Amino acid sequence: MIKFLDLQKINAQYADELANVAKKVIDSGWYLQGNYVKEFEKNLSEYIGAKYAISCANGLDALRLILRSYMEMGFMEEGDEVIVPANTYIASVLAISDNRLTPVLVEPSINSYNLDISKIEEHITKRTRAILVVHLYGQVCFSDELKALADNYKLKVIEDNAQAIGARYGDLLSGNLGDAAGFSFYPGKNMGALGDSGAVTTNDKELARIIRSIANYGSEVKYKNEFRGLNSRMDEIQAGFLDIKLKYIDKENEIRRQIAKLYRNNIKNSKIVNPELINKDENSHVWHLYVIRTKHRKSLQQYLKENDVHTIIHYPIPPHKQECYKEYNKLSFHITESLADELLSLPISPVMTEQEVNKVIELVNKF
């Protein structure tokens, strides 16, 4: 079986380093808000190029904390609108509605699957306060036009960088393109913890201060609570694990790029549409997922399963069709709905062998 993502094999590469960190944390007797968290935050901020990195419990919390902090700063209030792609994992939308803000869904580009930047302006109203861009599947969603639009309307640009750590837009890394960015270190991500964790990066000192406080019960000083906060903290073991993985993220992303290039150059089946590199820059995509499009998805997935290739659908039900968002169920987003019916993710990971990649290509071409 060619696994979609072999986490055991990925983590086995660094087993000795991970075990060494775990032992040190256990022996230290200090498990939260210690030196490993501080060191990881320092190293993450330096890697991304942002002034501040604040760790938290998971990727959803990272986005929730950004929006909540902008509300505490008076930049947003309940009912304000945040533009977000209709084609995304539901966490992007949950972060908005959880803060009693209003998600304004915008169609993606059929080519990139990312938010169609050309469609944003028509959705801006007097209550729009931010654009939440999602670097979906690992490809940067950003442009000079987006920045100019945000500047013109005085909107915040918030990056959902859960899937794209290490991706570039020109000389800048994703996570340092907008006003703030949320990261997920869920185990299956390009840089995954051995549990769950997240982080926020920003160059805004006050935003960073408030995010850190809210994530710690709304408190900077113990037992003194400035905000009605959350408990959203990364533990020392996960910080230690992630600091190890941060050293290897560029190497692992490059392996993903090489696999994606093999897929793109060699999958030649008229029933299959390969994903596109939108700005033709290989460094703009870290290929968290390699997502093909086909009107024959069900039969292709079954065929690959029968031939011992594991695939996944990301994502079969778009947010506006989910039961929890009944108020949006009658809305129609044709491109988003088509993608939900046609997209299929092929195996891709830094531990796939060339033989496995070639087998996937051969099978898809024979389909």
Side-chain angles (χ1 to χ4, degrees):
M1 167 67 77
I2 297 176
K3 293 183 178 182
F4 181 77
L5 183 67
D6 193 335
L7 288 179
Q8 287 175 304
K9 194 172 180 182
I10 288 171
N11 289 317
Q13 301 174 103
Y14 316 121
D16 290 344
E17 290 179 85
L18 297 171
N20 185 45
V21 162
K23 183 178 188 308
K24 286 181 177 179
V25 173
I26 292 167
D27 290 347
S28 76
W30 194 298
Y31 308 124
L32 281 171
Q33 296 182 302
N35 290 330
Y36 278 100
V37 167
K38 291 175 184 174
E39 186 68 13
F40 173 65
E41 290 178 342
K42 171 180 167 291
N43 291 336
L44 179 63
S45 67
E46 289 177 355
Y47 173 76
I48 296 298
K51 291 180 181 178
Y52 307 100
I54 309 98
S55 58
C56 61
N58 54 67
L60 173 56
D61 275 6
L63 296 175
R64 291 169 69 209
L65 286 162
I66 293 168
L67 293 167
R68 169 70 186 283
S69 297
Y70 276 132
M71 295 176 78
E72 294 290 353
M73 293 169 74
F75 184 79
M76 301 178 185
E77 60 183 34
E78 288 188 14
D80 280 346
E81 297 171 355
V82 178
I83 288 172
V84 64
N87 180 48
T88 184
Y89 183 57
I90 199 169
S92 311
V93 185
L94 288 171
I96 300 168
S97 62
D98 186 61
N99 281 292
R100 299 183 185 274
L101 298 164
T102 303
V104 177
L105 304 172
V106 176
E107 285 271 51
S109 160
I110 191 64
N111 297 314
S112 70
Y113 314 143
N114 270 331
L115 177 65
D116 189 335
I117 292 170
S118 71
K119 294 179 180 175
I120 292 175
E121 189 166 18
E122 64 191 82
H123 291 87
I124 295 174
T125 73
K126 292 179 180 178
R127 298 214 68 175
T128 308
R129 296 292 178 268
I131 304 167
L132 199 162
V133 296
V134 181
H135 305 312
L136 196 65
Y137 310 143
Q139 180 161 218
V140 166
C141 179
F142 198 79
S143 70
D144 294 345
E145 291 76 17
L146 172 65
K147 187 178 187 310
L149 189 68
D151 289 345
N152 185 46
Y153 287 95
K154 296 180 172 54
L155 306 177
K156 300 296 184 185
V157 175
I158 300 167
E159 300 171 69
D160 182 338
N161 199 37
Q163 300 184 358
I165 185 169
R168 287 190 173 274
Y169 179 76
D171 294 331
L172 296 175
L173 282 177
S174 61
N176 195 28
L177 301 175
D179 295 283
F183 292 71
S184 169
F185 304 120
Y186 178 79
K189 295 296 192 289
N190 286 31
M191 194 175 92
L194 276 72
D196 213 344
S197 292
V200 174
T201 55
T202 184
N203 291 304
D204 186 327
K205 183 177 181 179
E206 181 65 2
L207 180 69
R209 182 190 75 81
I210 295 173
I211 287 171
R212 188 177 298 283
S213 179
I214 292 175
N216 186 44
Y217 298 98
S219 173
E220 286 186 85
V221 178
K222 196 168 186 178
Y223 302 131
K224 184 176 180 181
N225 300 79
E226 183 180 357
F227 307 102
R228 298 182 185 183
L230 309 171
N231 175 14
S232 183
R233 300 175 295 188
M234 181 184 292
D235 64 66
E236 287 284 280
I237 284 182
Q238 297 306 332
F241 290 162
L242 288 167
D243 214 25
I244 290 167
K245 292 195 167 191
L246 185 59
K247 297 185 296 185
Y248 301 105
I249 186 61
D250 287 339
K251 181 190 81 171
E252 292 202 352
N253 281 343
E254 188 54 37
I255 295 170
R256 288 175 178 271
R257 289 191 183 105
Q258 294 307 313
I259 294 170
K261 188 178 287 187
L262 286 171
Y263 279 157
R264 281 167 35 228
N265 291 341
N266 295 288
I267 291 177
K268 300 182 185 299
N269 184 323
S270 60
K271 300 181 181 70
I272 307 297
V273 178
N274 279 299
E276 290 187 23
L277 262 179
I278 297 309
N279 63 13
K280 311 306 178 187
D281 180 1
E282 296 285 346
N283 293 320
S284 68
H285 208 318
V286 294
W287 301 101
H288 172 59
L289 300 173
Y290 190 90
V291 185
I292 59 173
R293 196 166 88 244
T294 177
K295 294 185 182 298
H296 309 278
R297 181 175 70 188
K298 185 175 180 180
S299 54
L300 173 59
Q301 187 173 38
Q302 181 60 33
Y303 161 78
L304 291 172
K305 181 180 178 182
E306 291 169 358
N307 284 277
D308 294 327
V309 175
H310 181 211
T311 60
I312 295 179
I313 297 170
H314 296 92
Y315 303 97
I317 306 173
H320 73 281
K321 293 297 183 183
Q322 296 285 356
E323 186 177 353
C324 64
Y325 286 116
K326 286 189 175 74
E327 64 270 35
Y328 297 125
N329 285 176
K330 292 182 180 179
L331 296 180
S332 178
F333 294 95
H334 175 70
I335 296 174
T336 295
E337 290 158 24
S338 295
L339 294 177
D341 290 338
E342 296 177 7
L343 295 183
L344 183 67
S345 300
L346 299 181
I348 187 167
S349 84
V351 293
M352 275 188 80
T353 66
E354 189 172 351
Q355 182 181 6
E356 289 174 328
V357 175
N358 288 334
K359 180 180 178 182
V360 173
I361 292 168
E362 180 185 0
L363 287 168
V364 171
N365 283 337
K366 284 181 178 179
F367 173 71

XYZ file of all heavy atoms in Angstrom, residues 4 251-267 274-275 282 286-287 289-290 346-358 360-361:
342
model
N -1.116 7.558 1.902
C -1.255 8.965 1.546
C -0.192 9.793 2.258
O 0.424 10.680 1.664
C -2.658 9.466 1.920
C -2.870 10.904 1.553
C -3.125 11.271 0.248
C -2.800 11.896 2.516
C -3.290 12.597 -0.104
C -2.965 13.226 2.181
C -3.217 13.579 0.864
N 14.237 21.449 3.507
C 14.651 20.212 2.824
C 13.428 19.359 2.472
O 13.310 18.854 1.342
C 15.603 19.416 3.719
C 16.114 18.125 3.078
C 16.846 17.244 4.076
C 15.858 16.438 4.913
N 16.521 15.411 5.759
N 12.508 19.221 3.419
C 11.334 18.397 3.165
C 10.418 19.039 2.116
O 9.844 18.344 1.270
C 10.574 18.146 4.471
C 11.349 17.270 5.444
C 10.465 16.590 6.467
O 9.252 16.917 6.521
O 10.970 15.728 7.201
N 10.294 20.363 2.166
C 9.483 21.038 1.153
C 10.073 20.858 -0.241
O 9.340 20.733 -1.226
C 9.365 22.536 1.468
C 8.344 22.834 2.553
O 7.496 22.005 2.872
N 8.422 24.022 3.119
N 11.401 20.851 -0.341
C 12.036 20.670 -1.650
C 11.761 19.270 -2.199
O 11.567 19.100 -3.415
C 13.540 20.922 -1.544
C 14.255 20.942 -2.883
C 13.651 21.930 -3.874
O 13.207 23.027 -3.470
O 13.620 21.596 -5.090
N 11.725 18.279 -1.332
C 11.377 16.927 -1.775
C 9.948 16.911 -2.306
O 9.654 16.314 -3.351
C 11.544 15.912 -0.627
C 13.014 15.803 -0.229
C 11.009 14.539 -1.035
C 13.256 15.014 1.048
N 9.042 17.590 -1.610
C 7.659 17.683 -2.079
C 7.604 18.347 -3.460
O 6.844 17.933 -4.331
C 6.819 18.473 -1.077
C 6.524 17.736 0.230
C 5.801 18.644 1.216
N 5.457 17.959 2.444
C 4.323 17.281 2.657
N 3.424 17.221 1.692
N 4.090 16.674 3.803
N 8.397 19.400 -3.648
C 8.412 20.086 -4.950
C 8.867 19.141 -6.064
O 8.331 19.170 -7.178
C 9.320 21.309 -4.890
C 8.775 22.456 -4.073
C 9.598 23.721 -4.265
N 9.096 24.799 -3.416
C 9.690 25.211 -2.298
N 10.829 24.646 -1.907
N 9.179 26.188 -1.587
N 9.870 18.330 -5.767
C 10.369 17.412 -6.787
C 9.330 16.349 -7.135
O 9.179 15.972 -8.310
C 11.673 16.755 -6.302
C 12.837 17.724 -6.151
C 13.093 18.550 -7.399
O 13.136 18.021 -8.518
N 13.256 19.858 -7.231
N 8.608 15.858 -6.136
C 7.537 14.887 -6.394
C 6.435 15.534 -7.222
O 5.942 14.950 -8.200
C 6.974 14.330 -5.075
C 8.032 13.493 -4.352
C 5.719 13.488 -5.336
C 7.650 13.091 -2.939
N 6.053 16.751 -6.842
C 5.010 17.459 -7.584
C 5.425 17.689 -9.032
O 4.600 17.594 -9.958
C 4.702 18.796 -6.906
N 6.710 17.983 -9.241
C 7.198 18.202 -10.614
C 7.092 16.911 -11.425
O 6.708 16.929 -12.609
C 8.641 18.693 -10.582
C 9.167 19.140 -11.946
C 10.598 19.666 -11.860
C 10.632 21.019 -11.189
N 11.987 21.632 -11.242
N 7.411 15.789 -10.799
C 7.267 14.503 -11.487
C 5.812 14.245 -11.846
O 5.505 13.803 -12.970
C 7.798 13.370 -10.601
C 9.317 13.271 -10.466
C 9.695 12.250 -9.392
C 9.950 12.887 -11.804
N 4.923 14.504 -10.913
C 3.488 14.342 -11.205
C 3.075 15.252 -12.362
O 2.435 14.821 -13.318
C 2.659 14.694 -9.967
C 2.535 13.615 -8.907
C 2.243 13.956 -7.575
C 2.665 12.270 -9.206
C 2.106 12.986 -6.592
C 2.530 11.293 -8.229
C 2.248 11.657 -6.928
O 2.102 10.685 -5.958
N 3.409 16.533 -12.269
C 2.957 17.517 -13.260
C 3.505 17.220 -14.651
O 2.820 17.402 -15.651
C 3.376 18.928 -12.829
C 2.473 19.520 -11.778
C 3.018 20.767 -11.103
N 3.801 21.633 -11.946
C 4.993 22.132 -11.603
N 5.528 21.814 -10.437
N 5.635 22.938 -12.401
N 4.742 16.751 -14.702
C 5.369 16.498 -15.999
C 4.976 15.173 -16.619
O 5.098 15.000 -17.842
C 6.898 16.547 -15.867
C 7.416 17.945 -15.596
O 6.722 18.929 -15.835
N 8.633 18.041 -15.081
N 4.499 14.238 -15.793
C 4.304 12.882 -16.307
C 2.883 12.350 -16.238
O 2.584 11.338 -16.886
C 5.246 11.925 -15.565
C 6.705 12.224 -15.852
O 7.199 11.968 -16.953
N 7.399 12.785 -14.874
N 2.012 12.987 -15.464
C 0.604 12.572 -15.506
C -0.017 13.192 -16.748
O -0.178 14.402 -16.847
C -0.149 12.988 -14.227
C 0.354 12.174 -13.030
C -1.655 12.795 -14.408
C -0.281 12.547 -11.696
N -4.182 18.543 -13.923
C -3.147 18.739 -12.904
C -3.257 20.138 -12.297
O -3.709 21.074 -12.963
C -1.760 18.575 -13.518
C -1.358 17.117 -13.659
O -1.271 16.390 -12.675
N -1.126 16.686 -14.891
N -2.825 20.317 -11.047
C -2.817 21.665 -10.441
C -1.797 22.561 -11.132
O -0.805 22.076 -11.682
C -2.440 21.399 -8.986
C -1.711 20.092 -9.011
C -2.328 19.292 -10.118
N 8.469 28.208 -8.607
C 8.442 26.929 -7.884
C 8.421 27.133 -6.370
O 7.853 26.343 -5.630
C 9.656 26.079 -8.274
C 9.698 25.647 -9.721
C 8.719 24.538 -10.057
O 8.193 23.908 -9.116
O 8.476 24.307 -11.251
N 4.529 24.804 -1.641
C 5.231 23.770 -0.872
C 4.498 22.438 -0.931
O 4.862 21.495 -0.246
C 5.457 24.195 0.601
C 6.413 25.384 0.667
C 4.141 24.505 1.305
N 3.443 22.366 -1.750
C 2.770 21.106 -2.056
C 2.400 20.299 -0.810
O 2.723 19.119 -0.700
C 3.617 20.275 -3.027
C 3.862 21.004 -4.303
C 4.995 21.671 -4.667
C 2.929 21.179 -5.393
N 4.834 22.254 -5.914
C 3.567 21.960 -6.378
C 1.613 20.739 -5.626
C 2.951 22.328 -7.570
C 1.000 21.106 -6.812
C 1.659 21.887 -7.776
N -0.469 19.454 -0.357
C -1.297 18.466 -1.046
C -1.079 18.580 -2.551
O -0.862 19.677 -3.064
C -2.785 18.695 -0.746
C -3.213 18.609 0.719
C -4.669 19.036 0.872
C -3.016 17.200 1.263
N -1.137 17.450 -3.233
C -1.134 17.454 -4.698
C -2.542 17.065 -5.137
O -2.943 15.906 -5.011
C -0.106 16.481 -5.272
C 0.064 16.676 -6.770
C 1.020 17.570 -7.256
C -0.746 16.004 -7.686
C 1.162 17.783 -8.614
C -0.612 16.220 -9.040
C 0.338 17.108 -9.502
O 0.477 17.336 -10.863
N -3.619 13.160 -4.337
C -2.728 12.009 -4.499
C -1.690 11.988 -3.381
O -1.393 13.021 -2.779
C -2.018 12.088 -5.847
C -2.892 12.081 -7.104
C -2.016 12.153 -8.359
C -3.792 10.852 -7.163
N -1.094 10.834 -3.113
C -0.062 10.771 -2.075
C 1.113 11.700 -2.396
O 1.572 11.767 -3.541
C 0.392 9.305 -2.121
C -0.722 8.564 -2.759
C -1.350 9.514 -3.721
N 1.564 12.419 -1.392
C 2.782 13.223 -1.515
C 3.343 13.428 -0.119
O 2.618 13.792 0.805
C 2.519 14.569 -2.223
C 3.840 15.304 -2.497
C 1.553 15.448 -1.448
C 3.713 16.467 -3.457
N 4.619 13.148 0.037
C 5.261 13.341 1.334
C 6.767 13.261 1.144
O 7.243 12.715 0.140
C 4.810 12.284 2.349
O 5.569 11.092 2.200
N 7.544 13.776 2.089
C 9.003 13.761 1.952
C 9.630 12.387 2.090
O 10.848 12.252 1.918
C 9.468 14.705 3.066
C 8.379 14.689 4.073
C 7.115 14.535 3.284
N 8.820 11.362 2.391
C 9.389 10.018 2.510
C 8.894 9.080 1.414
O 9.175 7.888 1.448
C 9.104 9.409 3.912
C 9.848 10.182 4.992
C 7.605 9.363 4.210
N 8.176 9.608 0.431
C 7.791 8.774 -0.710
C 9.021 8.429 -1.528
O 9.887 9.270 -1.760
C 6.789 9.509 -1.612
C 5.350 9.388 -1.196
S 4.240 10.098 -2.460
C 4.170 8.744 -3.649
N 9.091 7.197 -1.998
C 10.199 6.789 -2.852
C 9.866 7.112 -4.311
O 8.699 7.270 -4.684
C 10.465 5.287 -2.728
O 9.331 4.566 -3.251
C 10.691 4.889 -1.275
N 10.906 7.180 -5.130
C 10.691 7.425 -6.561
C 9.878 6.301 -7.188
O 9.051 6.532 -8.072
C 12.039 7.567 -7.278
C 11.913 8.028 -8.721
C 13.244 8.344 -9.363
O 14.264 8.369 -8.655
O 13.260 8.566 -10.590
N 10.090 5.090 -6.696
C 9.326 3.948 -7.193
C 7.841 4.126 -6.899
O 6.989 3.837 -7.753
C 9.847 2.658 -6.545
C 9.142 1.394 -7.030
C 9.672 0.133 -6.341
O 10.487 0.214 -5.414
N 9.214 -1.019 -6.787
N 7.516 4.609 -5.708
C 6.112 4.833 -5.352
C 5.500 5.939 -6.205
O 4.358 5.813 -6.672
C 6.006 5.197 -3.870
C 6.280 4.030 -2.932
C 6.320 4.433 -1.469
O 6.743 5.571 -1.177
O 5.927 3.619 -0.612
N 6.257 7.012 -6.404
C 5.763 8.111 -7.235
C 5.493 7.619 -8.647
O 4.436 7.911 -9.239
C 6.772 9.278 -7.252
C 6.309 10.377 -8.213
C 6.952 9.852 -5.849
N 6.423 6.853 -9.199
C 6.262 6.344 -10.564
C 5.077 5.396 -10.684
O 4.390 5.370 -11.714
C 7.539 5.652 -11.022
C 8.661 6.632 -11.300
O 8.400 7.789 -11.626
N 9.904 6.190 -11.165
N 2.295 5.581 -8.895
C 1.093 6.415 -8.903
C 0.880 7.019 -10.299
O -0.238 7.002 -10.844
C 1.182 7.530 -7.843
C -0.006 8.500 -7.964
C 1.225 6.946 -6.444
N 1.955 7.535 -10.880
C 1.863 8.131 -12.220
C 1.390 7.099 -13.233
O 0.488 7.357 -14.049
C 3.242 8.693 -12.643
C 3.605 9.889 -11.788
C 3.239 9.078 -14.124
C 5.058 10.341 -11.921
